[in-house]
Amino acid sequence: MALHSKILLGLLCGAVLGVSANLGLGPEHPGVALVDRYLAGPVGQVFLRMLQMVVMPLVFASIALGVAGVGDVRRVGRMGAKTLAYFLGTTALATGLGLIAVRLVQPGTHIAVATREKLLADYAAKAADKIEAAHTADFGVDTLVGIVTRNPIASAVDGDMLGIIFFGLVFGAAVSMIRADRRQAMTTWLEALAEVVTTIIDFAMRLAPYGVAGLIFGVTSRFGFDLLAPLGLYVGLVLAALLLHATVTMGLIIRLLIGVSPLVFFTRIRASLVTAFSTSSSSATLPTNIRVGEERLGIPPQVCGFVYPLGATMCMNGTALFEGITVIFLCQVFGVSLDAGQMAVVMGMAVITSVGAAAVPGGSIPLMVGMLAMFRVPPEGIAVILGVDRILDMARTAVNVLGDHTAAAFIARSEGLWDPGQLPVDEPAPRHESA
């Protein structure tokens, strides 16, 4: 059985067992808690930690090799500008779609005051944590300056992805400019580092079906299905808008700009989508993305190494769509009316803050707290959606990852480094698939 099929099977098994436990025994049942605490949770976390363990060395090696492989620093600058323009353009399209949808459906007007107060009380503690985190989630000039890391080792330890990306860009550019014999030696070392990291990813992917099952069991067994009644319209709207963006907006881009059948494209990247859905983390999905981009789409390694690490931090289509819908939804819940100008501000802020959001589960929530304050919605209002955020986080992360793959294919084709005819004819059989 192919690896992506094993992962999908693990996802389905974990979801079925989790939902059954939730409905049959309840999320607070000691047996359910015991399984999650000592079996499903640990297996899922080991898988997730093994992926996260290699993210920083993978980002550095991939970015540096990608830049050094392109060779011409001017071409790197052109690719970078084109990549950022693609990220911002598709993110703006996603946000616009979300705002139109929430404006038409107006799910916040259907939440009763008593329901709102109950949700605020139930999730007050979680909301307090998010509000506190929002105080340290400033996004402005200091954030842009902070991209230039003072200590790449410290950035790696602190999980500062943008700092490592910047260091990798500068390092790769410098490698391309040094003497030929030393450039070859350094490139060989970077290739060896990338191969070591890839081998570690092989080890992690052996656990993928079991890790995915454990992660999904934990979410579905604890998920409060009673919340779907008062928040069902909001949840359904977010999921429908994400699906519409993925199938229509991105489908048109895949067909018209990339030149591939959307069905073929989605089939090729399903391992990434399943991993993103189960981990809720673009960073944790990065190793899988690079493997899928090279092996299933046939995109050149220098493009994969350049675009995917940037995408894991900056390509947040799903997050921006979710933020736009959620801010307007909470404004509706608290009776705050927004005019066209304020809606435009929401759209712009959703695009900007989605780029600044951490590529980890729930990373966008603290930034939304600041957006709510702009429109006189109490920060505690974020508690209304916290109970269902994890399932929405899983869905929006999958859309974010879809954006990464379309960006890599678009950039590779526009640079003349790849065309649809280079899609691998047969699925390759990586070493770990025989396990």
Side-chain angles (χ1 to χ4, degrees), residues 176-417:
S176 69
M177 300 172 68
I178 62 176
R179 210 169 66 198
D181 58 333
R182 293 180 178 176
R183 179 170 65 245
Q184 182 58 48
M186 184 55 67
T187 301
T188 301
W189 179 81
L190 287 170
E191 289 173 345
L193 175 61
E195 189 170 342
V196 168
V197 170
T198 300
T199 303
I200 296 174
I201 294 169
D202 285 343
F203 298 156
M205 295 311 289
R206 292 175 185 269
L207 282 176
Y210 313 103
V212 165
L215 290 169
I216 295 300
F217 177 87
V219 172
T220 53
S221 64
R222 294 193 308 268
F223 185 68
F225 284 90
D226 55 322
L227 288 174
L228 288 181
L231 295 178
L233 189 57
Y234 161 72
V235 172
L237 178 64
V238 173
L239 295 178
L242 289 171
L243 182 62
L244 193 63
H245 176 70
T247 56
V248 178
T249 308
M250 302 308 289
L252 288 173
I253 289 174
I254 293 168
R255 171 67 74 181
L256 301 177
L257 299 184
I258 299 174
V260 177
S261 163
L263 181 60
V264 170
F265 196 89
F266 289 136
T267 301
R268 297 284 178 136
I269 66 169
R270 58 189 169 212
S272 286
L273 298 179
V274 172
T275 303
F277 185 81
S278 58
T279 62
S280 300
S281 172
S282 296
S283 293
T285 312
L286 177 58
T288 306
N289 284 351
I290 293 177
R291 292 290 296 271
V292 167
E294 293 181 6
E295 297 179 358
R296 300 291 289 126
L297 298 177
I299 298 173
Q302 65 265 35
V303 176
C304 291
F306 184 83
V307 175
Y308 285 117
L310 289 175
T313 301
M314 298 181 179
C315 187
M316 297 290 174
N317 292 189
T319 298
L321 185 152
F322 161 77
E323 287 184 2
I325 289 180
T326 301
V327 169
I328 304 301
F329 167 73
L330 291 175
C331 286
Q332 293 170 354
V333 169
F334 285 89
V336 177
S337 179
L338 302 180
D339 57 29
Q342 291 172 316
M343 292 282 284
V345 171
V346 172
M347 180 174 176
M349 289 299 296
V351 173
I352 294 171
T353 58
S354 68
V355 174
V360 296
S364 61
I365 298 296
L367 293 171
M368 278 200 303
V369 171
M371 293 175 62
L372 292 174
M374 294 174 57
F375 302 103
R376 303 180 306 281
V377 175
E380 296 79 9
I382 202 70
V384 172
I385 59 98
L386 287 182
V388 294
D389 177 61
R390 185 56 191 268
I391 193 69
L392 298 179
D393 198 1
M394 295 160 70
R396 66 182 181 258
T397 302
V399 174
N400 292 342
V401 165
L402 170 62
D404 297 344
H405 284 294
T406 60
F410 170 75
I411 298 301
R413 187 175 192 190
S414 67
E415 289 291 316
L417 300 173

Side-chain angles (χ1 to χ4, degrees), residues 30-44:
V32 175
L34 195 68
V35 170
D36 188 33
R37 174 71 178 84
Y38 293 103
L39 180 60
V43 172

Side-chain angles (χ1 to χ4, degrees), residues 6-212:
K6 292 181 181 179
I7 294 175
L8 186 58
L9 183 60
L11 176 73
L12 293 175
C13 289
V16 169
L17 291 174
V19 170
S20 300
N22 181 277
L23 296 178
L25 300 175
E28 306 301 328
H29 189 278
V32 175
L34 195 68
V35 170
D36 188 33
R37 174 71 178 84
Y38 293 103
L39 180 60
V43 172
Q45 286 302 313
V46 167
F47 166 63
L48 192 57
R49 285 169 176 258
M50 285 193 71
L51 289 178
Q52 293 171 331
M53 176 176 65
V54 298
V55 165
M56 289 304 173
L58 177 65
V59 168
F60 169 69
S62 299
I63 284 282
L65 275 173
V67 174
V70 171
D72 186 352
V73 175
R74 289 173 297 181
R75 187 175 190 178
V76 172
R78 185 177 71 244
M79 283 180 59
K82 195 181 298 184
T83 301
L84 292 177
Y86 182 90
F87 289 164
L88 293 175
T90 54
T91 301
L93 288 174
T95 309
L97 174 63
L99 293 185
I100 291 172
V102 73
R103 189 75 169 177
L104 291 175
V105 178
Q106 299 194 10
T109 60
H110 299 277
I111 300 294
V113 174
T115 301
R116 183 187 72 190
E117 297 303 323
K118 182 178 185 303
L119 291 171
L120 287 172
D122 289 346
Y123 291 93
K126 286 186 178 181
D129 292 340
K130 302 298 183 182
I131 294 169
E132 183 178 353
H135 295 152
T136 61
D138 185 34
F139 186 78
V141 175
D142 291 341
T143 305
L144 298 177
V145 173
I147 293 174
V148 183
T149 178
R150 289 179 291 189
N151 186 336
I153 304 299
S155 293
V157 171
D158 295 338
D160 177 14
M161 181 82 80
L162 288 176
I164 293 298
I165 288 174
F166 181 84
F167 179 66
L169 289 170
V170 174
F171 193 93
V175 168
S176 69
M177 300 172 68
I178 62 176
R179 210 169 66 198
D181 58 333
R182 293 180 178 176
R183 179 170 65 245
Q184 182 58 48
M186 184 55 67
T187 301
T188 301
W189 179 81
L190 287 170
E191 289 173 345
L193 175 61
E195 189 170 342
V196 168
V197 170
T198 300
T199 303
I200 296 174
I201 294 169
D202 285 343
F203 298 156
M205 295 311 289
R206 292 175 185 269
L207 282 176
Y210 313 103
V212 165

